Amino acid sequence: MKKLILLFLFTPYILLGQNEFIGSIERLTPEMDKFISKDSKTEIIAKGFSWSEGPIWSKKLNALLFSDVPNNVIYKWDEKNGLDVFIDKIGYSGIVPNLNKSGTNGLIIDHDGNLIICMHGDRRIVKLTNWKSNKVFPVITSFNNKLFNSPNDLVYNSKKDLFFTDPPYGLKEGDNDKLKELEFNGVFRLSNNGKLEVLIKNLTRPNGIAISVDEKTLYVANSDSKNPVIMKYQITDEGVNNPEVFFNGTELSEKEIGLFDGLKVHPTGMVFATGPGGVLLINQDGIHIGTIKTEVRSANCAFDNKFEYLYMTSHQYLTRIKIMDL
């Protein structure tokens, strides 16, 4: 008999189950078979969230951490214990003005093992050094003495430079919110030496962000229904240049649910992008080879440390699918 574990917390229910599947696999080129086997299915491993986001695999915990943004909580999931609350009441504390009391979004682990957290409600990026405590320390809180909108997603390079996006999703009225202090929705770089600079100011909804394997290219997803694209930029010491559309999702977004959101890069260079229809696999030439179709809007995705599974936060679900050993 299937074993069900129910947690009554924040939402009507959170279900941890076994052998519950969703969606399908769309194969547009034979290359898709190299990543997702023909008998692979997307497994639901937890559900009942308001909007799951920001997954990151922790090698230290041998577990996945992810945010439920509206409920102001970070969850932990592992194979042995299933789902548990990792930190509660972490994204919004009221330290800065914000009418929208949402929680955390993007998560990443830095080179020193700290958990770096995008705080939608507190409009800043912080770090958690002691994982058994709720005490966080600011990483970056403002740009030119103006509060950020709502830091959303982030990525490090090997030089320990932090790249992050700052759309207005964490503000109640978005671009029209009276508390919005920046005139743009930017992409920033916080260098290891502490220098903060804005790299990109002309994207309407910069969201997911990733760096190529050779660290020469920055990918940024634009979550705008009027301009649904993934951009790529050449990374330089001075910033970025040579902006190009890596993938244009206009036609796809007219027939599929969802917008471009999170991005992750596989060691082969393949870009896994949550977007219209689910999680798109796009090769380095910008060719869409297939989609893990999730049936609902997909927010973000993450690999485990061995790249055996892709974990996906899709609206109310946490799901995963087996990745081929390449």
Side-chain angles (χ1 to χ4, degrees):
M1 181 175 69
K2 183 190 291 185
K3 182 180 180 182
L4 301 180
I5 303 174
L6 297 179
L7 275 176
F8 293 87
L9 184 65
F10 304 115
T11 50
Y13 67 95
I14 295 171
L15 169 69
L16 308 183
Q18 297 175 354
N19 303 320
E20 187 174 359
F21 302 100
I22 191 171
S24 60
I25 308 299
E26 179 185 50
R27 301 174 188 275
L28 300 177
T29 77
E31 192 176 3
M32 186 69 171
D33 297 340
K34 297 179 181 179
F35 291 87
I36 310 292
S37 72
K38 292 187 176 181
D39 59 352
S40 287
K41 296 180 181 180
T42 298
E43 178 187 6
I44 298 174
I45 55 178
K47 67 181 181 181
F49 313 106
S50 294
W51 182 251
S52 59
E53 254 285 10
I56 187 70
W57 186 264
S58 166
K59 187 175 181 180
K60 178 170 72 173
L61 299 176
N62 195 30
L64 187 82
L65 301 175
F66 66 99
S67 302
D68 188 352
V69 183
N71 285 321
N72 203 12
V73 61
I74 297 176
Y75 285 105
K76 177 177 75 73
W77 180 93
D78 66 56
E79 194 80 48
K80 180 180 179 181
N81 302 302
L83 189 73
D84 197 3
V85 172
F86 180 65
I87 305 179
D88 182 20
K89 296 179 176 60
I90 179 67
Y92 173 78
S93 68
I95 194 171
V96 299
N98 195 338
L99 299 174
N100 190 13
K101 301 176 182 180
S102 55
T104 64
N105 198 308
L107 309 172
I108 198 168
I109 297 169
D110 71 11
H111 295 75
D112 298 318
N114 303 307
L115 181 63
I116 309 300
I117 305 169
C118 287
M119 312 275 273
H120 259 201
D122 284 353
R123 303 169 67 179
R124 59 182 56 198
I125 296 175
V126 302
K127 66 180 177 180
L128 182 73
T129 57
N130 180 355
W131 288 29
K132 295 182 179 180
S133 167
N134 278 34
K135 187 175 182 180
V136 296
F137 301 89
V139 173
I140 192 72
T141 61
S142 62
F143 176 71
N144 289 344
N145 296 317
K146 293 184 177 182
L147 291 175
F148 292 112
N149 304 313
S150 49
N152 187 286
D153 206 356
L154 64 180
V155 65
Y156 277 100
N157 65 8
S158 61
K159 297 178 181 179
K160 301 184 181 181
D161 299 331
L162 178 65
F163 297 75
F164 64 95
T165 59
D166 184 41
Y169 290 125
L171 298 173
K172 191 170 185 178
E173 302 297 331
D175 283 330
N176 299 318
D177 198 293
K178 64 182 181 181
L179 296 175
K180 190 178 193 296
E181 297 186 11
L182 293 174
E183 298 79 17
F184 57 90
N185 302 315
V187 179
F188 296 85
R189 176 171 62 186
L190 178 64
S191 297
N192 187 36
N193 62 10
K195 178 183 178 182
L196 177 65
E197 56 192 325
V198 58
L199 303 179
I200 304 163
K201 299 173 69 172
N202 62 352
L203 291 179
T204 50
R205 290 292 184 272
N207 198 325
I209 189 167
I211 296 175
S212 62
V213 176
D214 63 10
E215 300 195 345
K216 295 180 179 180
T217 302
L218 181 72
Y219 298 105
V220 182
N222 192 45
S223 299
D224 187 342
S225 59
K226 297 179 181 178
N227 185 29
V229 297
I230 300 173
M231 296 295 297
K232 70 174 184 177
Y233 306 83
Q234 180 184 356
I235 300 172
T236 69
D237 291 339
E238 293 73 33
V240 295
N241 58 27
N242 296 333
E244 295 181 33
V245 174
F246 174 65
F247 185 79
N248 191 326
T250 301
E251 183 177 344
L252 198 61
S253 65
E254 292 174 353
K255 59 182 180 180
E256 299 282 3
I257 187 172
L259 292 170
F260 289 122
D261 200 323
L263 300 173
K264 293 296 185 296
V265 177
H266 189 270
T268 61
M270 185 68 66
V271 175
F272 285 67
T274 57
V279 181
L280 287 67
L281 275 69
I282 306 170
N283 68 21
Q284 294 176 80
D285 296 322
I287 297 173
H288 178 201
I289 69 165
T291 300
I292 304 166
K293 307 196 85 169
T294 54
E295 296 185 6
V296 295
R297 297 179 187 274
S298 292
N300 213 325
C301 59
F303 302 102
D304 62 70
N305 64 302
K306 296 181 180 179
F307 295 91
E308 293 180 339
Y309 284 94
L310 178 74
Y311 291 84
M312 298 163 281
T313 49
S314 303
H315 196 182
Q316 72 268 40
Y317 298 120
L318 175 65
T319 64
R320 69 174 181 177
I321 192 167
K322 189 80 166 61
I323 303 296
M324 297 284 282
D325 184 13
L326 299 178

Coordinates of all heavy atoms in Angstrom, one line a residue, residues 221-273:
A221 N 17.1 35.0 -18.2 CA 15.8 34.8 -18.7 C 14.9 36.1 -18.4 O 15.0 36.6 -17.3 CB 15.1 33.6 -17.9
N222 N 14.2 36.5 -19.4 CA 13.3 37.6 -19.3 C 11.9 37.1 -19.2 O 11.3 36.6 -20.2 CB 13.4 38.6 -20.5 CG 12.8 39.9 -20.3 OD1 12.9 40.5 -19.2 ND2 12.0 40.4 -21.3
S223 N 11.3 37.2 -18.0 CA 9.9 36.7 -17.8 C 8.8 37.7 -18.1 O 8.1 38.1 -17.3 CB 9.8 36.2 -16.3 OG 10.7 35.2 -16.0
D224 N 8.8 38.1 -19.4 CA 7.8 39.1 -19.9 C 7.1 38.5 -21.0 O 7.6 38.1 -22.0 CB 8.6 40.3 -20.3 CG 7.7 41.5 -20.7 OD1 6.5 41.3 -20.9 OD2 8.2 42.6 -20.7
S225 N 5.7 38.4 -20.9 CA 4.9 37.8 -21.9 C 5.0 38.6 -23.2 O 4.7 38.1 -24.3 CB 3.5 37.8 -21.5 OG 3.0 39.1 -21.2
K226 N 5.4 39.9 -23.2 CA 5.5 40.7 -24.4 C 6.9 40.5 -25.0 O 7.1 40.9 -26.2 CB 5.3 42.2 -24.0 CG 3.9 42.4 -23.5 CD 3.7 43.9 -23.2 CE 2.3 44.2 -22.7 NZ 2.1 45.6 -22.3
N227 N 7.8 40.0 -24.3 CA 9.2 39.7 -24.8 C 9.8 38.5 -24.1 O 10.8 38.6 -23.4 CB 10.1 41.0 -24.6 CG 11.4 40.8 -25.3 OD1 11.6 40.1 -26.3 ND2 12.4 41.5 -24.7
P228 N 9.2 37.3 -24.4 CA 9.7 36.1 -23.7 C 11.0 35.5 -24.3 O 10.9 34.7 -25.2 CB 8.5 35.1 -23.9 CG 7.9 35.6 -25.2 CD 8.1 37.0 -25.3
V229 N 12.1 36.0 -23.8 CA 13.4 35.6 -24.4 C 14.4 35.2 -23.3 O 14.2 35.6 -22.1 CB 14.0 36.7 -25.2 CG1 13.2 37.0 -26.4 CG2 14.3 37.9 -24.4
I230 N 15.3 34.4 -23.7 CA 16.5 34.1 -22.9 C 17.7 34.9 -23.6 O 17.9 34.6 -24.8 CB 16.8 32.7 -22.7 CG1 15.7 31.9 -22.1 CG2 18.1 32.5 -21.9 CD1 15.9 30.4 -22.0
M231 N 18.3 35.8 -22.9 CA 19.4 36.5 -23.5 C 20.8 35.9 -23.1 O 20.9 35.2 -22.0 CB 19.4 38.0 -22.9 CG 18.1 38.8 -23.4 SD 18.0 39.0 -25.1 CE 19.5 40.0 -25.4
K232 N 21.8 36.2 -23.9 CA 23.1 35.8 -23.5 C 24.1 37.0 -23.7 O 23.9 37.8 -24.6 CB 23.6 34.6 -24.3 CG 23.9 34.8 -25.7 CD 24.5 33.5 -26.3 CE 24.9 33.7 -27.8 NZ 25.5 32.5 -28.4
Y233 N 25.1 37.0 -22.8 CA 26.0 38.2 -22.8 C 27.4 37.6 -22.7 O 27.6 36.6 -21.9 CB 25.7 39.1 -21.7 CG 24.3 39.6 -21.7 CD1 23.3 38.9 -21.1 CD2 24.0 40.9 -22.2 CE1 22.0 39.4 -21.0 CE2 22.7 41.4 -22.2 CZ 21.7 40.6 -21.6 OH 20.4 41.1 -21.5
Q234 N 28.4 38.3 -23.2 CA 29.8 38.0 -23.0 C 30.2 38.6 -21.7 O 30.1 39.8 -21.5 CB 30.7 38.5 -24.2 CG 32.1 38.1 -24.0 CD 33.0 38.7 -25.1 OE1 32.5 39.3 -26.0 NE2 34.3 38.6 -25.0
I235 N 30.8 37.8 -20.8 CA 31.2 38.3 -19.5 C 32.6 38.9 -19.7 O 33.5 38.2 -20.2 CB 31.2 37.2 -18.4 CG1 29.8 36.7 -18.2 CG2 31.7 37.8 -17.1 CD1 29.7 35.5 -17.3
T236 N 32.8 40.1 -19.2 CA 34.2 40.7 -19.2 C 34.5 41.2 -17.8 O 33.7 41.3 -16.9 CB 34.2 41.9 -20.2 OG1 33.4 43.0 -19.7 CG2 33.7 41.5 -21.6
D237 N 35.7 41.7 -17.6 CA 36.1 42.3 -16.4 C 35.4 43.5 -16.1 O 35.1 43.9 -14.9 CB 37.6 42.5 -16.3 CG 38.5 41.3 -16.3 OD1 37.9 40.2 -15.9 OD2 39.6 41.3 -16.7
E238 N 35.0 44.2 -17.1 CA 34.3 45.5 -17.0 C 32.8 45.3 -16.9 O 32.1 46.3 -16.5 CB 34.6 46.4 -18.2 CG 36.0 46.9 -18.3 CD 36.9 45.8 -18.8 OE1 36.5 44.9 -19.6 OE2 38.1 45.8 -18.4
G239 N 32.3 44.2 -17.2 CA 30.8 43.9 -17.1 C 30.4 42.9 -18.1 O 30.9 41.7 -18.1
V240 N 29.4 43.2 -19.0 CA 29.0 42.3 -20.0 C 28.9 43.1 -21.3 O 28.7 44.3 -21.3 CB 27.7 41.6 -19.7 CG1 27.8 40.7 -18.5 CG2 26.5 42.7 -19.5
N241 N 29.0 42.4 -22.5 CA 28.8 43.0 -23.8 C 28.3 42.0 -24.7 O 28.0 40.9 -24.4 CB 30.0 43.8 -24.3 CG 31.2 42.8 -24.4 OD1 31.1 41.6 -24.6 ND2 32.4 43.4 -24.3
N242 N 28.1 42.4 -26.0 CA 27.6 41.6 -27.1 C 26.3 40.9 -26.7 O 26.2 39.7 -26.8 CB 28.6 40.5 -27.5 CG 29.9 41.1 -28.1 OD1 29.8 42.2 -28.6 ND2 31.0 40.4 -27.9
P243 N 25.3 41.6 -26.3 CA 24.0 41.0 -26.0 C 23.3 40.4 -27.2 O 23.3 40.9 -28.3 CB 23.1 42.2 -25.5 CG 23.7 43.4 -26.1 CD 25.2 43.1 -26.2
E244 N 22.9 39.1 -27.0 CA 22.2 38.4 -28.1 C 21.0 37.6 -27.6 O 21.0 37.2 -26.4 CB 23.1 37.4 -28.8 CG 24.3 38.0 -29.5 CD 25.2 36.9 -30.1 OE1 24.6 35.8 -30.6 OE2 26.4 37.0 -30.2
V245 N 20.0 37.4 -28.4 CA 18.9 36.6 -28.0 C 19.4 35.1 -28.2 O 19.7 34.7 -29.3 CB 17.7 36.8 -28.9 CG1 16.6 35.8 -28.5 CG2 17.1 38.2 -28.6
F246 N 19.5 34.4 -27.0 CA 19.9 33.0 -27.1 C 18.7 32.1 -27.5 O 18.9 31.2 -28.3 CB 20.4 32.6 -25.7 CG 20.7 31.2 -25.5 CD1 21.7 30.6 -26.2 CD2 19.9 30.4 -24.6 CE1 22.0 29.2 -26.1 CE2 20.2 29.0 -24.5 CZ 21.2 28.4 -25.2
F247 N 17.5 32.4 -27.0 CA 16.3 31.7 -27.4 C 15.1 32.6 -27.3 O 14.9 33.2 -26.3 CB 16.1 30.5 -26.5 CG 15.0 29.6 -27.0 CD1 15.1 28.7 -28.1 CD2 13.8 29.7 -26.4 CE1 14.1 27.9 -28.5 CE2 12.7 28.9 -26.8 CZ 12.9 28.0 -27.9
N248 N 14.3 32.6 -28.4 CA 13.1 33.4 -28.5 C 11.9 32.5 -28.3 O 11.7 31.6 -29.1 CB 13.0 34.2 -29.8 CG 11.9 35.2 -29.8 OD1 10.9 35.0 -29.2 ND2 12.2 36.3 -30.5
G249 N 11.2 32.8 -27.2 CA 10.0 31.9 -26.9 C 8.7 32.5 -27.3 O 7.7 32.0 -26.8
T250 N 8.7 33.5 -28.1 CA 7.4 34.1 -28.5 C 6.4 33.1 -29.0 O 5.2 33.1 -28.6 CB 7.7 35.3 -29.5 OG1 8.6 36.2 -29.0 CG2 6.3 35.9 -29.9
E251 N 6.8 32.4 -30.0 CA 5.9 31.4 -30.6 C 5.4 30.3 -29.7 O 4.2 30.0 -29.6 CB 6.5 30.8 -31.9 CG 5.6 29.8 -32.6 CD 6.3 29.3 -33.9 OE1 7.3 29.8 -34.3 OE2 5.8 28.3 -34.4
L252 N 6.4 29.9 -28.9 CA 6.1 28.8 -27.9 C 5.1 29.3 -26.8 O 4.2 28.6 -26.4 CB 7.4 28.3 -27.3 CG 7.4 27.0 -26.5 CD1 7.0 25.9 -27.5 CD2 8.7 26.7 -25.9
S253 N 5.3 30.6 -26.4 CA 4.5 31.1 -25.3 C 3.0 31.3 -25.7 O 2.2 31.5 -24.8 CB 5.1 32.4 -24.7 OG 5.1 33.4 -25.7
E254 N 2.8 31.4 -27.0 CA 1.4 31.5 -27.5 C 0.6 30.3 -27.3 O -0.6 30.3 -27.4 CB 1.4 32.0 -28.9 CG 2.0 33.4 -29.1 CD 2.2 33.8 -30.6 OE1 2.0 32.9 -31.4 OE2 2.5 35.0 -30.8
K255 N 1.2 29.2 -27.2 CA 0.5 27.9 -27.1 C 0.7 27.1 -25.8 O 0.1 26.1 -25.6 CB 0.8 27.0 -28.3 CG 2.3 26.7 -28.5 CD 2.5 25.9 -29.8 CE 3.9 25.5 -30.0 NZ 4.2 24.7 -31.2
E256 N 1.7 27.5 -25.0 CA 2.1 26.7 -23.8 C 1.9 27.6 -22.6 O 2.1 28.8 -22.7 CB 3.5 26.2 -23.9 CG 3.8 25.3 -25.1 CD 3.3 23.9 -24.8 OE1 2.6 23.6 -23.7 OE2 3.5 23.0 -25.6
I257 N 1.7 27.0 -21.5 CA 1.6 27.8 -20.2 C 2.9 28.1 -19.6 O 3.9 27.3 -19.7 CB 0.7 26.9 -19.2 CG1 0.4 27.8 -17.9 CG2 1.4 25.6 -18.8 CD1 -0.6 27.1 -17.0
G258 N 3.1 29.3 -19.0 CA 4.3 29.6 -18.3 C 5.2 30.6 -19.1 O 5.1 30.7 -20.3
L259 N 6.1 31.2 -18.4 CA 7.1 32.1 -18.9 C 8.4 31.7 -18.5 O 8.6 30.9 -17.6 CB 6.8 33.6 -18.4 CG 5.5 34.2 -18.9 CD1 5.3 35.5 -18.1 CD2 5.6 34.5 -20.4
F260 N 9.5 32.2 -19.2 CA 10.8 31.8 -18.8 C 11.1 32.3 -17.3 O 10.7 33.4 -16.9 CB 11.8 32.5 -19.7 CG 11.8 31.8 -21.1 CD1 11.6 32.6 -22.2 CD2 12.1 30.5 -21.2 CE1 11.6 32.0 -23.5 CE2 12.1 29.9 -22.5 CZ 11.8 30.7 -23.6
D261 N 11.8 31.5 -16.6 CA 12.0 31.7 -15.2 C 13.4 31.3 -14.8 O 14.4 31.9 -15.2 CB 10.9 31.0 -14.3 CG 10.8 31.6 -13.0 OD1 11.9 32.0 -12.4 OD2 9.7 31.7 -12.4
G262 N 13.6 30.1 -14.2 CA 14.9 29.7 -13.7 C 15.7 29.0 -14.8 O 15.2 28.5 -15.8
L263 N 17.0 29.1 -14.6 CA 18.0 28.5 -15.6 C 19.1 27.7 -14.8 O 19.5 28.2 -13.7 CB 18.7 29.6 -16.3 CG 17.9 30.6 -17.2 CD1 18.8 31.7 -17.7 CD2 17.3 29.8 -18.4
K264 N 19.4 26.6 -15.4 CA 20.6 25.8 -14.9 C 21.4 25.3 -16.1 O 20.8 24.9 -17.1 CB 20.1 24.7 -14.0 CG 19.5 25.1 -12.7 CD 20.5 25.9 -11.8 CE 19.9 26.2 -10.4 NZ 18.7 27.1 -10.5
V265 N 22.7 25.2 -15.9 CA 23.5 24.7 -17.0 C 24.1 23.4 -16.6 O 24.8 23.3 -15.5 CB 24.7 25.7 -17.3 CG1 25.6 25.2 -18.4 CG2 24.1 27.0 -17.8
H266 N 23.9 22.4 -17.4 CA 24.5 21.0 -17.2 C 26.0 21.1 -17.6 O 26.4 21.9 -18.3 CB 23.7 20.1 -18.1 CG 24.0 18.6 -17.8 ND1 25.0 18.0 -18.5 CD2 23.4 17.7 -17.0 CE1 25.0 16.7 -18.1 NE2 24.1 16.5 -17.2
P267 N 26.8 20.2 -17.0 CA 28.2 20.1 -17.3 C 28.5 20.0 -18.8 O 29.6 20.4 -19.3 CB 28.7 18.9 -16.6 CG 27.8 18.8 -15.4 CD 26.5 19.2 -15.9
T268 N 27.6 19.5 -19.6 CA 27.7 19.4 -21.0 C 27.5 20.7 -21.7 O 27.8 20.8 -22.9 CB 26.7 18.4 -21.6 OG1 25.4 18.8 -21.4 CG2 26.9 17.0 -21.0
G269 N 27.0 21.7 -21.0 CA 26.7 23.0 -21.6 C 25.2 23.2 -21.9 O 24.8 24.3 -22.3
M270 N 24.5 22.1 -21.8 CA 23.0 22.2 -22.1 C 22.4 23.1 -21.1 O 22.6 22.9 -19.9 CB 22.4 20.8 -22.1 CG 21.0 20.7 -22.5 SD 20.7 21.1 -24.2 CE 21.5 19.7 -25.0
V271 N 21.5 24.0 -21.6 CA 20.8 24.9 -20.7 C 19.4 24.2 -20.4 O 18.7 23.9 -21.3 CB 20.6 26.3 -21.3 CG1 19.7 27.2 -20.4 CG2 22.0 26.9 -21.6
F272 N 19.1 24.1 -19.1 CA 17.8 23.7 -18.7 C 17.0 24.9 -18.2 O 17.4 25.5 -17.2 CB 17.9 22.7 -17.5 CG 18.4 21.3 -17.9 CD1 19.6 21.1 -18.5 CD2 17.5 20.2 -17.8 CE1 20.0 19.8 -18.9 CE2 17.9 18.9 -18.2 CZ 19.2 18.7 -18.7
A273 N 16.0 25.2 -18.9 CA 15.3 26.5 -18.7 C 13.8 26.3 -18.4 O 13.1 25.7 -19.2 CB 15.4 27.4 -19.9

